[in-house]
Amino acid sequence: MPECSCLGIKYATKKVCFLIGFFYFIFFAGYSQNQAVADSLEAIYLSGNYNDNDKLKMLFEIESNQADTEKSLAYSLKLIEAAKVLDSVKYIIIGYLGKGTALRLKGDLSKALESYFEAARIASEEEEGSSLGQANFAIADVYSIMGNHDNAIKYYQNAIKILQKEKDSINLATALTNAGDDYFNNGKLDSALIYFEDSDKIFRKINYPIGTAYNKGNIGMVYAEQGEDDRAEVNINEAITILEELQDYYPISVFLTYMSDIYLRKNNWSRAISYAQRSLDLAQRYGLKEQISESNLKLSELYDHVGNYKKSNSYYKNHIAYRDSVTNLREMEQMADVRTNFEVAQKQSEVDLLEKESEIQLLKDKRQKTVIYVSIIVLILVFFLAMGLYRRNIFIKKTKNIIEEEKNRSDKLLLNILPEETAIELKQRGKVQAKKFESVSIMFTDFKGFTHYADNLAPEKLVETVDYYFSKFDEIIEKYGLEKIKTIGDSYMCAGGLPYPSQDHATKTVLAALEMIEFVNLAKTLNPENRIRFDVRIGINTGPVVAGVVGTKKFAYDIWGDAVNIASRMESNSQPGKINVTENTFTLIKDSFDCEMRGEIEVKNKGMMNMYFVSKIED
């Protein structure tokens, strides 16, 4: 039966579950599915004519108002991606809930569960109580569809407890309705009605039309199961009227099959067929696989009753095709049991026949029968031996795969610490020979005012801010083939031209520095969470260095030489938003970049040195 928010529609007599949901839409009060709204917003989104600050809400509105499950899934994925870029936990959770609902309506229950569990994990980590409650009853709904009553009730109770604590009226009412639905599907009508009544009180109190509509439909289907057709028809028609206004078609499709049942009991075949056909048309229009299957089955039954066996058979074939595409585990187990019982019965018949024949020819074929028995025993032994070898082979393969995965994991971790060439040498020889490089470009970066903020900022926020910048710096230097050496506080050190010497290392180092400046400037304009942002100083020098690995337990790849010290001085003599380079570096890049000569500047422990600001790539 239909429910609000992850609403499950279930036919107790058919043991088939259907799922309707809009649980995550209640982040915005008064939601109702509206395809016209979705189409209008989609046109704006595709045109690109919108404010970036409105992007997440727009994607949510498009996805949540979609009647087409394929489009709903596509926009939920876009929402997740955009929310991760903007670091919006609320919309990441909404996106995963929306993705799960779309997958569930498409009949892909295992992937739907994965998406719901991911939403629950994030909500739990971020202590988003209301979202955690929604994710719990979404998970419960999927278990309910699968026929796993124990797991379904467990997660419903979890959701109800959380939502009561959060005072989240809409989702609490929804969870109560869903739990009542599961009790209904398991034949516990009294328990179901208690949950429906509790839910209905909440929906009416907060004047929530779609919740009221689903409850009317639920109660109508209870009356239908009890044979009270008139009361059932009144409630279901009222539910359909509300849902048509809200353009929520999935529950309408299900309710129409119940209306068909009511008119079937009244022997009004034409009305019964008309309702069933309307149900199928709606399900096909919006890609609702489970309901397409059930509507085809209902039409098959109706045409069978009126003697039109050709049409009945055609609809039944369609029912089987769609049913098989969304078959749950419980149905598969039941089918397996039926098939096994059939095969056992067949084998037993064959054995009985053989025994009778053996009795007739007992004296003549005694020796032959003995050979047959021995052969059977040998075959059984061979079979068990083969099974044992097969399972042993599978175990060995799994063990090898685990070992290989751990080896790959160790190699990957080592490559995160050392350059590939150095890591290979360390694994092969147990140590690394220091190497001299005649020409290397060394870059240092430093954030202006970082020490002041470090004294006043919470440790976790400080680390989070530094990680935000350094993670992007890692991407940039990887793009230009540079080697990260280390970070010291807010200082970031990298080098070009090692461990593999190259001719253009100075150019690539400057290009990376320009991209870092661009990123730091952009970060100050795109700051939706109002986080601390900095200006960066960068210094670069080119010269000879010695590179090697230090330490015996915690390895560290490092470089030494006067060129390194001078690069550090270039950074400290730079200015916010500027790239300060030495004469050595300028000589190598002057034909490729616009540079501004600063003249000779006093450098600590080095005397006067020529310095240059790099402003941009040469036009």
Side-chain angles (χ1 to χ4, degrees):
M1 37 175 63
E3 315 145 337
C4 310
S5 294
C6 289
L7 307 177
I9 298 177
K10 304 178 176 68
Y11 289 85
T13 55
K14 300 183 182 72
K15 301 299 182 187
V16 176
C17 304
F18 297 86
L19 210 60
I20 299 174
F22 60 90
F23 57 93
Y24 60 99
F25 303 143
I26 51 71
F27 278 99
F28 297 92
Y31 162 78
S32 63
Q33 192 180 64
N34 190 324
Q35 186 61 49
V37 172
D39 293 340
S40 174
L41 290 174
E42 184 178 26
I44 296 172
Y45 174 75
L46 294 176
S47 72
N49 187 24
Y50 58 87
N51 191 317
D52 284 342
N53 294 332
D54 297 329
K55 183 176 183 180
L56 295 181
K57 185 176 179 181
M58 179 179 293
L59 287 170
F60 160 70
E61 293 281 4
I62 296 172
E63 188 277 325
S64 61
N65 281 286
Q66 279 290 345
D68 186 320
T69 53
E70 289 292 348
K71 278 195 171 184
S72 181
L73 177 59
Y75 275 100
S76 67
L77 295 175
K78 290 179 186 292
L79 176 58
I80 293 169
E81 182 181 354
K84 286 182 177 178
V85 171
L86 296 175
D87 198 21
S88 173
V89 173
K90 181 181 78 170
Y91 278 104
I92 291 173
I93 296 171
I94 292 175
Y96 276 112
L97 292 175
K99 176 185 174 183
T101 298
L103 288 166
R104 184 191 56 201
L105 291 175
K106 284 167 58 65
D108 196 339
L109 301 184
S110 60
K111 287 186 179 179
L113 266 182
E114 288 178 9
S115 189
Y116 288 149
F117 274 118
E118 180 63 12
R121 182 189 67 78
I122 298 170
S124 179
E125 288 180 355
E126 300 294 331
E127 297 183 355
E128 293 282 346
S130 191
S131 298
L132 181 60
Q134 296 161 35
N136 267 270
F137 72 71
I139 293 166
D141 283 336
V142 177
Y143 279 125
S144 184
I145 292 174
M146 291 177 172
N148 190 332
H149 177 65
D150 292 340
N151 273 3
I153 292 302
K154 171 187 172 183
Y155 280 97
Y156 282 136
Q157 294 297 343
N158 287 348
I160 290 168
K161 190 179 299 182
I162 294 169
L163 296 169
Q164 283 175 333
K165 182 179 178 181
E166 293 293 321
K167 301 183 190 285
D168 187 343
S169 299
I170 296 177
N171 281 309
L172 173 59
T174 298
L176 289 166
T177 304
N178 290 22
D181 171 74
D182 196 76
Y183 279 117
F184 172 81
N185 196 46
N186 284 274
K188 300 176 181 178
L189 299 181
D190 291 339
S191 296
L193 283 173
I194 291 172
Y195 277 92
F196 291 152
E197 289 169 359
D198 288 346
S199 172
D200 193 52
K201 289 176 185 176
I202 298 174
F203 281 134
R204 290 182 182 277
K205 182 178 180 181
I206 63 176
N207 190 25
Y208 203 71
I210 196 166
T212 302
Y214 280 32
N215 262 325
K216 281 184 175 293
N218 287 342
I219 294 169
M221 288 194 291
V222 172
Y223 288 144
E225 291 294 334
Q226 294 174 339
E228 297 186 42
D229 293 340
D230 292 339
R231 297 177 71 182
E233 188 173 356
V234 169
N235 279 275
I236 291 174
N237 276 328
E238 288 181 10
I240 290 174
T241 300
I242 298 172
L243 292 167
E244 283 177 338
E245 293 176 1
L246 299 175
Q247 297 182 5
D248 194 355
Y249 299 112
Y250 196 106
I252 295 174
S253 180
V254 178
F255 290 147
L256 287 170
T257 61
Y258 263 82
M259 293 295 291
S260 180
D261 283 335
I262 291 170
Y263 280 97
L264 176 62
R265 285 194 287 270
K266 293 179 178 181
N267 293 322
N268 189 335
W269 306 110
S270 61
R271 290 290 296 277
I273 289 173
S274 174
Y275 278 114
Q277 187 62 53
R278 281 178 60 193
S279 172
L280 178 59
D281 291 343
L282 271 179
Q284 288 176 329
R285 188 182 310 161
Y286 297 107
L288 310 173
K289 285 188 177 181
E290 303 102 322
Q291 191 53 29
I292 291 173
S293 174
E294 284 305 305
S295 298
N296 272 291
L297 178 60
K298 177 57 61 182
L299 285 165
S300 174
E301 293 171 354
L302 291 170
Y303 279 110
D304 182 71
H305 273 80
V306 298
N308 191 336
Y309 302 117
K310 184 177 180 180
K311 275 195 171 184
S312 175
N313 185 54
S314 175
Y315 283 115
Y316 188 74
K317 286 181 178 178
N318 291 338
H319 158 68
I320 293 298
Y322 280 96
R323 182 201 63 187
D324 288 348
S325 69
V326 293
T327 300
N328 59 44
L329 296 177
R330 185 177 181 185
E331 289 172 331
M332 293 173 66
E333 291 170 357
Q334 291 172 343
M335 290 171 65
D337 290 341
V338 171
R339 179 179 175 184
T340 301
N341 292 337
F342 174 74
E343 291 177 350
V344 169
Q346 280 190 321
K347 292 294 183 183
Q348 188 60 48
S349 298
E350 293 173 6
V351 171
D352 291 343
L353 181 59
L354 288 172
E355 286 178 352
K356 289 179 181 179
E357 291 176 352
S358 297
E359 288 173 1
I360 295 171
Q361 298 183 6
L362 182 61
L363 295 175
K364 294 181 180 180
D365 302 330
K366 187 175 181 180
R367 181 177 298 176
Q368 185 178 355
K369 187 171 67 173
T370 302
V371 172
I372 292 172
Y373 285 152
V374 171
S375 298
I376 291 173
I377 292 171
V378 171
L379 286 172
I380 292 172
L381 292 174
V382 170
F383 172 77
F384 280 113
L385 179 61
M387 285 296 294
L389 292 173
Y390 173 75
R391 293 179 66 180
R392 180 175 179 274
N393 187 46
I394 293 294
F395 175 76
I396 291 172
K397 284 184 178 180
K398 285 183 178 179
T399 303
K400 286 183 178 178
N401 288 338
I402 291 171
I403 294 172
E404 186 65 26
E405 287 175 3
E406 288 301 316
K407 180 178 178 296
N408 292 337
R409 183 168 173 269
S410 298
D411 290 344
K412 186 176 180 181
L413 288 172
L414 190 59
L415 289 174
N416 282 337
I417 301 171
L418 305 174
E420 183 178 5
E421 180 187 57
T422 306
I424 293 172
E425 183 180 351
L426 181 64
K427 288 197 296 182
Q428 290 177 345
R429 301 173 59 181
K431 60 181 181 178
V432 177
Q433 185 71 36
K435 294 182 180 179
K436 183 173 183 180
F437 295 86
E438 294 299 331
S439 181
V440 171
S441 292
I442 307 104
M443 180 203 301
F444 280 88
T445 76
D446 183 72
F447 293 120
K448 176 188 175 183
F450 181 83
T451 303
H452 168 73
Y453 283 108
D455 292 338
N456 298 283
L457 204 59
E460 62 273 12
K461 291 295 182 182
L462 181 67
V463 173
E464 181 183 346
T465 302
V466 174
D467 180 67
Y468 171 75
Y469 286 102
F470 284 0
S471 295
K472 184 63 178 180
F473 288 3
D474 287 345
E475 292 180 19
I476 293 171
I477 70 166
E478 183 177 1
K479 172 181 175 182
Y480 291 100
L482 308 184
E483 187 67 36
K484 180 179 179 180
I485 305 302
K486 59 186 172 184
T487 61
I488 306 172
D490 65 320
S491 179
Y492 186 98
M493 176 184 177
C494 63
L498 57 76
Y500 304 105
S502 63
Q503 297 297 320
D504 59 349
H505 56 80
T507 299
K508 288 184 176 179
T509 304
V510 173
L511 284 171
L514 285 169
E515 194 163 328
M516 288 177 179
I517 293 287
E518 182 181 358
F519 166 71
V520 170
N521 290 336
L522 181 62
K524 291 187 290 185
T525 63
L526 298 177
N527 189 14
E529 302 297 332
N530 295 317
R531 295 181 175 174
I532 299 301
R533 293 290 184 260
F534 299 100
D535 287 314
V536 66
R537 295 190 301 261
I538 297 179
I540 300 173
N541 178 43
T542 302
V545 300
V546 173
V549 174
V550 295
T552 57
K553 292 185 178 180
K554 294 184 178 179
F555 301 109
Y557 184 75
D558 208 346
I559 57 177
W560 300 270
D562 196 46
V564 178
N565 297 329
I566 293 173
S568 178
R569 297 289 183 267
M570 291 303 103
E571 177 272 312
S572 60
N573 280 278
S574 185
Q575 296 177 7
K578 298 287 188 178
I579 303 167
N580 190 33
V581 301
T582 62
E583 184 89 44
N584 291 345
T585 304
F586 170 75
T587 302
L588 295 174
I589 67 167
K590 62 184 179 180
D591 295 331
S592 301
F593 299 90
D594 285 343
C595 299
E596 173 191 344
M597 183 174 183
R598 302 179 64 191
E600 289 189 338
I601 297 175
E602 176 72 27
V603 176
K604 183 179 179 181
N605 297 329
K606 297 297 177 184
M608 304 298 290
M609 295 187 70
N610 282 328
M611 299 183 193
Y612 302 80
F613 281 143
V614 181
S615 58
K616 63 178 180 177
I617 300 173
E618 182 73 45
D619 293 332

